[in-house]
Amino acid sequence: MAITVSEAMGIGGLVHCRIVAGERGMDRRMDSITVMEVPDVIRWLKGSVLLLTSLYPIKEDEQAIGQLVRQLHAAGGCALAIKTGPYVKEIPAIIKDEGNRLNFPIIEIHPDVSYLDIMTPLLERILKKLDTGKEQLDLFFQWMTELAVSGKGIAPLVEALEQMTDNPLTVGSDFAALELDKGLSFAPLTYAQKSELKTAKRPLRMNRFLEGALTPCIVTPMLLNDELYGEVTCWQTRRAFAEQDYDILYRTMVLMAMEWMKLVTKADVEQSFKDSFLSEVVLGRNQDSAETMAKGAQFGWELDQDFEVLCIAAEHQGDDVWSPERKRRVLQLVYSFFRYEAFKAIVTQLKGRVVVLLPARPRELPVKEAAKSLRQHLQEGCPELLFRIGMGRSYPGLTGIHQGYVEAVKALELGKPVGQQGCIHYEELGLFRLLSQFQDREELDGLYGETVGKLVAYDAIHQSGLVPTLETYFARNCSVSDTAEQLFIHVNTMKYRLQKMEQLTGCKVNEAEQRLLLHVGLKIHQLMKMESSY
């Protein structure tokens, strides 16, 4: 059942608008609303439609303006609403004259009233008067399409779905900017549920915790390039689900994904600005502390506090580790971890790593335990990658952020050769901490050139693998047989390589003092490789 134009003028945004012509046609019936986006829109109109327009598509075409009311009347429309403002200062006289002649209502839309202010309450009222069936569904999907092109975001779409399903909906995502909880408390999707949604690529019936109680629901995945960025969940709390509810959610999934893409694109742009700004802070290049603090405050960051810096590296067999989709997914996982764990972390990507600035204040979870939990969270979310995390000590002020970052990179890179494949703190580096503090490199370079430097030079010419062999030899506690087994070589080959090392360096591996020189030389070699990475 439709409503009259007279009734419509008392609903939503039309309350602030006025009839300027065709008052005698106020009893015309209205069963849908649409917006004029193109000049020939009238040929596509069906039913007693209210047409909203700014006249922009035809503002230069006097003939089209003159024929507009007559064509709309002939197509069975019920009224014409024109928004005055930047495109037309006032409604053309020809339109008012035609409205009076045909008893066709002409409405002037107040400049402060948006199309959405008019459409949403009117379509809600019309839908309530229609019986459930094809007519109602057609109008609903028209409404959803109009909402999607209105540019108002995902919230109006959710509200429209709630009207149609008569159950509450929430939006969940690892990106805080994409969340819409509607004041409800619900558990995030498990990794198994996320995997199921990615495989199905359609809404699924599930049971999830809502307000602490296990609740039936329909979960619609928001997929972009086969990556799951979140979900829209309809909760069965007011009435039992009908088959139509599933169909509605499935058919609106594309419209929701379009809105999601806008939000993700916006988040990418914001992250790019954050990365550009934070790279200067983390690398210690900020010249003006006051200006840096002010810029940080624009992002909601207090950069004058002490931070513990975490540096995250990822390895992958085959394609690019940091493809755009994978970068977005890793950042998404990092953000979600620190949000759920009640940390106020600052996250950026720098030189192929993810850097986290963690406020160094008392908390239940120490930084080493937080790093271990974060690594597990990342491994579960991206099982195809191998993650390592290095941690620095906390220092005060902006310069302290750079100091902590340098230590985190050292822990990340130098922790790898000493066997720490997961998480390592700078304080656990042992001898590397001492070597990395040398300002005068002449003695270090001299020791390196007398020992491992000779092996590096020999390997470069003969491809003999002496340096990797020495690294494995020390990692295996100087066991010839264990090292040979690890390298898949014969024990005699291993013995020959050790003899060649002694011949080149003059250091015998069986004598403690000379073996220590080789060991220190090897660590200097590892330190030199690492220093070029930050």
Side-chain angles (χ1 to χ4, degrees):
M1 182 184 299
I3 61 175
T4 66
V5 176
S6 179
E7 290 175 311
M9 293 303 295
I11 300 172
L14 285 181
V15 171
H16 307 289
C17 303
R18 64 191 183 99
I19 298 290
V20 296
E23 290 90 343
R24 294 183 179 179
M26 295 291 286
D27 59 348
R28 287 174 178 262
R29 315 296 290 181
M30 180 190 303
D31 59 23
S32 64
I33 306 101
T34 194
V35 178
M36 174 185 265
E37 301 285 355
V38 293
D40 59 348
V41 67
I42 293 176
R43 73 160 76 177
W44 309 109
L45 299 183
K46 294 180 180 179
S48 302
V49 63
L50 166 64
L51 181 65
L52 310 178
T53 182
S54 64
L55 293 183
Y56 178 78
I58 58 173
K59 65 184 177 67
E60 305 295 339
D61 190 339
E62 292 185 4
Q63 182 179 1
I65 291 174
Q67 296 175 347
L68 179 60
V69 176
R70 187 166 63 255
Q71 291 176 340
L72 187 56
H73 173 70
C78 68
L80 173 64
I82 299 174
K83 188 176 180 69
T84 53
Y87 305 121
V88 290
K89 299 300 181 183
E90 59 181 1
I91 297 175
I94 183 64
I95 288 180
K96 293 180 183 179
D97 292 343
E98 285 293 283
N100 286 327
R101 184 178 70 83
L102 297 171
N103 295 327
F104 193 86
I106 307 298
I107 305 167
E108 182 178 3
I109 302 174
H110 191 279
D112 294 335
V113 175
S114 70
Y115 291 158
L116 206 59
D117 294 333
I118 296 172
M119 294 175 63
T120 298
L122 284 180
L123 286 168
E124 286 180 7
R125 180 70 65 86
I126 294 170
L127 278 170
K128 287 179 180 178
K129 289 198 171 190
L130 290 175
D131 293 330
T132 301
K134 184 178 184 303
E135 184 181 6
Q136 186 189 43
L137 286 176
D138 288 345
L139 180 59
F140 171 73
F141 291 125
Q142 176 203 339
W143 181 21
M144 290 292 289
T145 302
E146 299 286 359
L147 289 173
V149 300
S150 70
K152 295 295 183 178
I154 205 165
L157 296 175
V158 170
E159 291 175 6
L161 283 167
E162 286 187 336
Q163 288 282 336
M164 199 62 181
T165 61
D166 196 27
N167 272 311
L169 277 85
T170 60
V171 179
S173 174
D174 289 333
F175 280 112
L178 306 184
E179 287 188 328
L180 189 66
D181 59 24
K182 309 288 287 187
L184 300 172
S185 175
F186 57 92
L189 290 172
T190 65
Y191 287 107
Q193 289 170 333
K194 290 180 179 179
S195 178
E196 191 177 0
L197 285 168
K198 285 181 65 175
T199 302
K201 296 180 173 59
R202 57 182 174 81
L204 294 177
R205 294 178 182 269
M206 292 183 177
N207 290 295
R208 296 173 60 194
F209 282 97
L210 175 69
E211 302 293 346
L214 199 60
T215 306
C217 57
I218 300 175
V219 184
T220 303
M222 292 296 106
L223 294 164
L224 303 174
N225 297 323
D226 283 335
E227 290 293 334
L228 184 68
Y229 283 87
E231 81 286 344
V232 177
T233 303
C234 182
W235 303 91
Q236 182 177 289
T237 61
R238 299 172 188 157
R239 67 163 175 82
F241 288 135
E243 192 61 34
Q244 176 179 283
D245 298 326
Y246 178 91
D247 185 51
I248 288 171
L249 291 165
Y250 180 74
R251 290 178 61 181
T252 56
M253 189 168 67
V254 174
L255 294 176
M256 300 286 282
M258 288 171 54
E259 290 303 310
W260 217 275
M261 175 61 82
K262 296 175 188 176
L263 293 172
V264 169
T265 302
K266 180 182 177 182
D268 283 349
V269 173
E270 290 178 351
Q271 185 64 50
S272 177
F273 280 116
K274 291 177 181 178
D275 290 346
S276 177
F277 169 66
L278 282 172
S279 65
E280 300 299 303
V281 175
V282 170
L283 295 175
R285 296 173 180 168
N286 44 293
Q287 302 296 321
D288 189 323
S289 296
E291 181 181 353
T292 301
M293 295 291 188
K295 287 184 178 179
Q298 294 177 2
F299 293 110
W301 301 332
E302 298 176 11
L303 295 177
D304 57 346
Q305 59 184 313
D306 297 355
F307 289 98
E308 291 175 294
V309 182
L310 279 64
C311 195
I312 306 166
E315 297 175 5
H316 183 258
Q317 296 291 336
D319 61 357
D320 179 19
V321 173
W322 295 118
S323 62
E325 290 80 13
R326 190 174 286 130
K327 171 187 173 182
R328 196 181 289 129
R329 178 157 41 118
V330 170
L331 288 174
Q332 181 180 3
L333 288 166
V334 174
Y335 275 121
S336 69
F337 173 82
F338 285 111
R339 191 168 72 257
Y340 293 142
E341 295 298 331
F343 293 105
K344 290 187 177 180
I346 299 173
V347 182
T348 187
Q349 191 183 50
L350 178 64
K351 295 189 175 183
R353 305 183 185 98
V354 175
V355 179
V356 180
L357 308 183
L358 199 60
R361 53 174 174 262
R363 53 180 179 266
E364 293 183 5
L365 200 60
V367 64
K368 185 67 179 289
E369 296 304 313
K372 289 179 179 178
S373 297
L374 171 60
R375 182 172 180 268
Q376 181 179 356
H377 182 68
L378 291 170
Q379 291 293 171
E380 290 173 345
C382 293
E384 75 276 14
L385 299 181
L386 177 63
F387 291 93
R388 294 180 294 110
I389 301 178
M391 291 153 278
R393 295 173 293 188
S394 66
Y395 295 94
L398 286 174
T399 56
I401 293 175
H402 175 61
Q403 288 177 281
Y405 168 71
V406 170
E407 289 187 357
V409 173
K410 288 179 179 179
L412 187 67
E413 296 302 322
L414 298 177
K416 186 177 180 181
V418 297
Q420 299 286 349
Q421 297 297 319
C423 302
I424 185 169
H425 198 283
Y426 177 76
E427 292 179 344
E428 300 174 286
L429 288 180
L431 183 59
F432 280 124
R433 287 173 57 190
L434 177 63
L435 296 176
S436 65
Q437 299 303 317
F438 275 79
Q439 299 298 319
D440 182 0
R441 297 299 299 268
E442 184 176 349
E443 290 298 326
L444 288 183
D445 291 342
L447 179 58
Y448 171 75
E450 295 168 5
T451 56
V452 174
K454 294 180 178 179
L455 304 184
V456 171
Y458 188 84
D459 281 348
I461 297 173
H462 301 283
Q463 303 296 313
S464 51
L466 295 182
V467 174
T469 299
L470 185 62
E471 290 176 336
T472 307
Y473 179 67
F474 285 131
R476 290 290 174 172
N477 295 317
C478 301
S479 170
V480 173
S481 58
D482 285 354
T483 304
E485 183 180 355
Q486 177 70 23
L487 296 175
F488 301 102
I489 59 176
H490 195 274
V491 171
N492 289 338
T493 302
M494 181 61 203
K495 291 178 179 179
Y496 168 78
R497 290 184 183 180
L498 290 176
Q499 291 172 359
K500 192 65 180 178
M501 293 176 200
E502 293 179 354
Q503 177 186 343
L504 291 170
T505 64
C507 297
K508 297 184 180 298
V509 296
N510 291 325
E511 295 185 11
E513 287 293 328
Q514 296 180 18
R515 183 169 65 239
L516 177 61
L517 289 177
L518 281 175
H519 208 160
V520 172
L522 187 59
K523 290 189 179 297
I524 296 171
H525 171 65
Q526 293 162 350
L527 184 65
M528 292 169 65
K529 289 196 302 180
M530 181 275 300
E531 286 177 338
S532 62
S533 66
Y534 68 91

